[in-house]
Amino acid sequence: MEEGPYKYIRDGNGKVSRVIRIGTRKSQLARIQTDSVADTLKELYPDIHLEIVGMTTTGDKILDTALSKIGEKSLFTKELENALERNEVDLVVHSLKDLPTSLPPGFTIGAVLKRENPHDAVVLHPKHAGKSLDTLPESSAIGTSSLRRAAQLKKRFPHLVFKDIRGNLNTRLKKLDEKEDFAAIILAAAGLRRMGWENRISQILEPEDCMYAVGQGALAVEVRARDVDILEMVSVLHDSDTVLRCIAERAFLRRLEGGCSVPVAVHTEVKDSQLYLTGAVYSLDGSDSLKETMQTSVAAAAAAAAAADDKSSEEVDECVQRVGVTATKLSGEAQDRAERLGVDLANLLLSKGAKEILTVARQLNDAR
């Protein structure tokens, strides 16, 4: 039954309940990520009916061009957001790192789930089993289409050559294994783990070798900002530490105006009620870089504001979004501090010349 924008279902006993439709990209990893969110929701709300709707996005179609060259931030999210807007789906599961730091009006991130390992991983060609980036032969080709990874690794491993590789996880692993083009490829550890391919990880890159992308390893649930019922339903999925870390990271990136097409990297940690944020910007070849660390207290986050419960029935005001994230059950003060931390760190780097580094990186990349 369709009634207004929503879809309902009647069970054998005549009980009517709303069907919650979840939009997802069609790739195997996207499906696994969406299924994990659906399973968690089913456990928490046994009576709900979930329907998963697969969609192909622009980013899935354009496979012959480096992402940074396409220059579109919402490459993997636009079609999914269109479906949300048209009420064809009620929520969408994304990798948080695919979501731009400013969402279109009317949308919000209603949940940021507990982060998987956010680091990058090295996957070696079978013939190089047992080696590491350090011990690979001179001029070995490493596949990555991320400017962020290439910039950091070029500096750290000058004996290696970095080349673009596109496609989803399955495609990239196939390209690595079945051809002799690459000695290794760099992928997010989180994706490999979610796919059950942990055994392919030869090396996890520590922050001193390669810091990660903003939001990497975290899943986000995007909803319509005015859909209070759905927002309330998914809010229980929020992981407070991950939310604070990702708000700081996204605020840092937004202040720098970075996207896919510039090398920006971060590292965050919550320890003893302190949130630590390390952020860096790089030239394309990694020769020029700026890196700083700042911290702030997020003690209030632990005591989730009881007042939030009283407010939850209010219509969600879009101004309580912080870099696209709505988390009413989490201390607003802690979220504000996390956002401030990101902005302050970005301002510190900008005062030291980050803008110039990123402008040159963008121009060089556009000219490639």
Side-chain angles (χ1 to χ4, degrees):
M1 295 186 290
E2 303 276 344
E3 195 171 307
Y6 303 130
K7 184 175 173 184
Y8 295 87
I9 197 166
R10 190 189 297 274
D11 67 14
N13 305 321
K15 185 167 162 258
V16 173
S17 49
R18 181 170 164 189
V19 177
I20 310 292
R21 295 152 305 172
I22 308 181
T24 176
R25 285 168 63 194
K26 283 182 176 166
S27 76
Q28 190 186 353
L29 177 60
R31 282 302 305 251
I32 287 173
Q33 294 179 163
T34 301
D35 289 344
S36 76
V37 172
D39 292 345
T40 309
L41 285 172
K42 274 304 262 186
E43 277 169 35
L44 293 163
Y45 308 102
D47 292 341
I48 61 168
H49 290 270
L50 297 175
E51 202 173 276
I52 292 176
V53 183
M55 280 169 255
T56 305
T57 66
T58 311
D60 295 313
K61 291 175 194 151
I62 309 175
L63 290 175
D64 52 356
T65 313
L67 290 183
S68 60
K69 293 291 289 175
I70 304 167
E72 170 61 67
K73 281 202 185 117
S74 51
L75 216 51
F76 293 110
T77 57
K78 193 87 202 99
E79 282 83 354
L80 298 168
E81 282 172 346
N82 289 345
L84 254 184
E85 194 164 23
R86 293 191 300 261
N87 282 309
E88 290 166 11
V89 297
D90 303 301
L91 50 115
V92 175
V93 178
H94 303 280
S95 292
L96 181 58
K97 72 171 179 168
D98 290 339
L99 275 175
T101 51
S102 300
L103 298 182
F107 299 107
T108 190
I109 296 164
V112 180
L113 286 76
K114 190 169 174 58
R115 198 172 207 165
E116 207 358 312
N117 181 333
H119 297 282
D120 288 319
V122 179
V123 179
L124 292 169
H125 188 286
K127 72 174 180 192
H128 290 300
K131 293 197 175 84
S132 66
L133 290 185
D134 265 324
T135 58
L136 279 173
E138 187 79 27
S139 301
S140 293
I142 310 299
T144 175
S145 30
S146 154
L147 299 179
R148 171 189 59 80
R149 289 170 182 152
Q152 295 179 81
L153 296 172
K154 277 174 185 169
K155 180 99 193 318
R156 176 73 183 73
F157 304 100
H159 68 294
L160 303 173
V161 177
F162 293 85
K163 292 186 176 171
D164 273 331
I165 184 169
R166 278 289 321 279
N168 59 36
L169 275 185
N170 311 53
T171 315
R172 291 188 202 196
L173 282 172
K174 213 172 150 89
K175 283 181 183 172
L176 171 70
D177 292 343
E178 294 179 7
K179 295 185 174 155
E180 297 286 321
D181 296 356
F182 300 102
I185 56 177
I186 314 293
L187 299 166
L192 289 163
R193 290 173 69 156
R194 289 190 185 115
M195 294 282 274
W197 293 339
E198 229 165 328
N199 62 333
R200 288 305 307 265
I201 298 177
S202 317
Q203 179 183 1
I204 295 275
L205 294 169
E206 293 304 322
E208 41 285 357
D209 288 335
C210 191
M211 295 203 306
Y212 42 83
V214 166
Q216 185 161 317
L219 294 183
V221 180
E222 188 179 15
V223 299
R224 291 179 288 270
R226 299 281 175 215
D227 203 340
V228 185
D229 297 353
I230 297 282
L231 202 50
E232 175 69 20
M233 182 184 86
V234 301
S235 67
V236 296
L237 301 172
H238 269 310
D239 174 73
S240 56
D241 280 5
T242 306
V243 171
L244 295 172
R245 289 169 66 186
C246 291
I247 284 177
E249 292 173 17
R250 286 170 64 81
F252 171 72
L253 182 63
R254 178 152 86 182
R255 180 71 189 92
L256 288 176
E257 295 176 4
C260 244
S261 50
V262 289
V264 173
V266 292
H267 177 74
T268 47
E269 196 178 1
V270 176
K271 204 170 159 184
D272 303 329
S273 301
Q274 291 286 315
L275 171 61
Y276 297 86
L277 169 65
T278 302
V281 301
Y282 304 89
S283 58
L284 287 190
D285 64 359
S287 60
D288 208 358
S289 65
L290 287 167
K291 178 174 162 181
E292 295 289 343
T293 303
M294 289 175 85
Q295 68 190 83
T296 189
S297 164
V298 287
D309 289 340
D310 306 335
K311 287 192 307 205
S312 62
S313 57
E314 287 177 28
E315 194 165 359
V316 176
D317 183 358
E318 290 195 28
C319 68
V320 297
Q321 283 197 40
R322 291 168 185 87
V323 275
V325 180
T326 300
T328 46
K329 292 186 169 67
L330 216 77
S331 151
E333 189 199 341
Q335 293 180 66
D336 287 340
R337 285 176 168 230
E339 184 171 23
R340 187 78 247 153
L341 178 67
V343 174
D344 287 347
L345 185 65
N347 285 336
L348 175 61
L349 291 187
L350 287 169
S351 73
K352 297 186 171 203
K355 191 99 189 130
E356 292 68 28
I357 293 179
L358 292 179
T359 302
V360 171
R362 198 175 272 123
Q363 287 167 345
L364 281 175
N365 184 56
D366 290 344
R368 283 201 305 176

